[in-house]
């Protein structure tokens, strides 16, 4: 991951934003809108909102708040057992599906 971030920095693929992350001696500025270009040409947000170990009862509200704050990368998986609530939050947000990774 760090090697990919370093390459993205050198190529100017990471936008300036709000959060800071120290990578070796370089200082990166990250936000919910910071993105990296993947090998297949897809652009992925670097900062994601994780839903692992989040109860289904908390998930919909938390994901809606994350989307409202600008997150466009939601980490979910069938094994997290809250996929339905993540999907419902995406539908309730009225964002276009292609705008969320």
């Amino acid at each position: 991951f760090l090697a990919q971030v370093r390459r993205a920095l050198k190529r100017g693929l990471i936008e300036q934003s709000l959060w800071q992350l120290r990578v070796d001696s370089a200082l990166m500025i990250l936000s919910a809108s910071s993105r990296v270009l993947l090998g297949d040409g897809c652009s992925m947000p670097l900062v994601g909102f994780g839903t692992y170990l989040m109860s289904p009862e908390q998930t919909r509200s938390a994901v809606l708040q994350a989307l409202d704050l600008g997150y466009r990368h939601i980490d979910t998986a069938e094994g997290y057992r809250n996929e339905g609530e993540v999907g419902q939050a995406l539908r309730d947000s009225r964002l276009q599906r292609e705008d969320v990774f």
Side-chain angles (χ1 to χ4, degrees), residues 66-77:
L67 293 168
D68 188 49
L69 289 170
Y71 283 88
R72 294 299 180 265
H73 179 170
I74 307 298
D75 174 37
T76 187

Side-chain angles (χ1 to χ4, degrees), residues 25-92:
S25 62
L27 180 65
M28 286 178 34
I29 306 295
L30 299 176
S31 80
S33 65
S34 298
R35 302 179 81 81
V36 65
L37 187 62
L38 301 177
D40 64 359
C42 182
S43 173
M44 179 184 80
L46 278 174
V47 178
F49 183 76
T51 63
Y52 181 60
L53 298 181
M54 191 175 290
S55 72
E57 298 78 26
Q58 297 172 316
T59 302
R60 183 187 158 278
S61 174
V63 170
L64 271 172
Q65 288 178 28
L67 293 168
D68 188 49
L69 289 170
Y71 283 88
R72 294 299 180 265
H73 179 170
I74 307 298
D75 174 37
T76 187
E78 183 179 0
Y80 297 178
R81 301 180 192 261
N82 56 18
E83 272 187 313
E85 291 78 7
V86 170
Q88 188 60 54
L90 286 170
R91 286 187 294 278
D92 293 347

